[in-house]
Amino acid sequence: AYVAMLQRGSVLVQVRDGNWTVAFFEPNGTALELDAEAIMAQFKIESEKLRHHSITEMLLERFTLDEQVREGDRFLRGARETLQKYSTCRDSWMELMMKLVTVAIVQAVASSTATNNPLIPMCKVLAAVLAVAATVWSVQPYAQPQVNDLQVVCFLGLALATAGFGYHNVFLSRFALLMPMVLAAAQQMQPDSPESLAQRLWEALMKNGMPTESATTSILTKRQSQ
């Protein structure tokens, strides 16, 4: 990505003792070496910063939402549980998408009894569930990473089950039922996440009202104890 965006000329990529080195050749013939391992480390730091920013935004939105609920906003009181499923309120469009996909799947299944070609309804269902799986995988709309992974696997399992029903393959249908169970069991090995930890820390700080100057010390102490 770095070469494609910033380099206008020839490059030489070499591997020396397991380390990747990219040499840029300037128009005058001199080479500028760039350590690819250092760039990857920088990318990792930047991704962690982006995740920290998203967690901060999630906590601020939840704090604002709780304030509005305490002030008596009935609409937000009813929608709070739904909104808190997502990392940010702008990801709540996923709720509408899920409803539309559900209606599309039901309509496709109902129309399969009225047509002599079952492949058309099956293709519609496959297109809908694979589109949702790709969207959840790319956007990661839910607040908990485990929920994002489980949703992707569930929709992939639904796609396999659709193919199993369409081609009368019992193995595919049974395997599709086992996929979410296996993933849920594997997630029990690491049920926590930085998002969950940040939410617990924030709730602990908010028990006695607005955080005070000792909030930083409390967060660091609780993180070490976790």
Side-chain angles (χ1 to χ4, degrees), residues 169-195:
N169 191 323
V170 179
F171 174 76
L172 279 179
S173 301
R174 292 178 177 176
F175 181 71
L177 291 175
L178 288 176
M179 288 174 58
M181 300 180 186
V182 173
L183 178 60
Q187 287 180 345
Q188 298 303 314
M189 303 297 294
Q190 191 177 0
D192 204 358
S193 64
E195 289 80 2

Side-chain angles (χ1 to χ4, degrees), residues 39-105:
I39 293 181
M40 292 300 295
Q42 184 65 29
F43 286 164
K44 184 178 180 181
I45 294 174
E46 292 297 329
S47 65
E48 291 177 351
K49 289 181 180 179
L50 289 175
R51 189 171 186 180
H52 159 259
H53 177 75
S54 64
I55 293 175
T56 303
E57 186 177 4
M58 178 188 70
L59 294 177
L60 289 175
E61 284 193 358
R62 294 193 176 193
F63 172 71
T64 305
L65 181 61
D66 291 338
E67 272 195 337
Q68 295 297 320
V69 170
R70 284 193 297 267
E71 292 176 1
D73 193 319
R74 295 182 179 179
F75 176 79
L76 291 179
R77 182 186 297 274
R80 178 171 60 175
E81 184 175 353
T82 300
L83 293 175
Q84 288 184 347
K85 291 193 306 183
Y86 302 98
S87 57
T88 58
C89 291
R90 66 172 177 267
D91 293 324
S92 58
W93 58 266
M94 191 68 190
E95 195 75 13
L96 177 61
M97 181 178 181
M98 297 292 286
K99 298 295 189 297
L100 294 176
V101 169
T102 303
V103 173
I105 292 175

Side-chain angles (χ1 to χ4, degrees), residues 92-159:
S92 58
W93 58 266
M94 191 68 190
E95 195 75 13
L96 177 61
M97 181 178 181
M98 297 292 286
K99 298 295 189 297
L100 294 176
V101 169
T102 303
V103 173
I105 292 175
V106 172
Q107 184 180 9
V109 173
S111 64
S112 63
T113 59
T115 180
N116 296 325
N117 188 4
L119 289 179
I120 296 177
M122 186 183 71
C123 291
K124 291 181 179 179
V125 173
L126 285 175
V129 297
L130 291 178
V132 176
T135 302
V136 175
W137 177 77
S138 59
V139 178
Q140 301 286 306
Y142 295 97
Q144 302 302 326
Q146 294 88 343
V147 178
N148 291 310
D149 297 337
L150 193 59
Q151 283 279 33
V152 172
V153 171
C154 285
F155 279 100
L156 291 178
L158 185 56

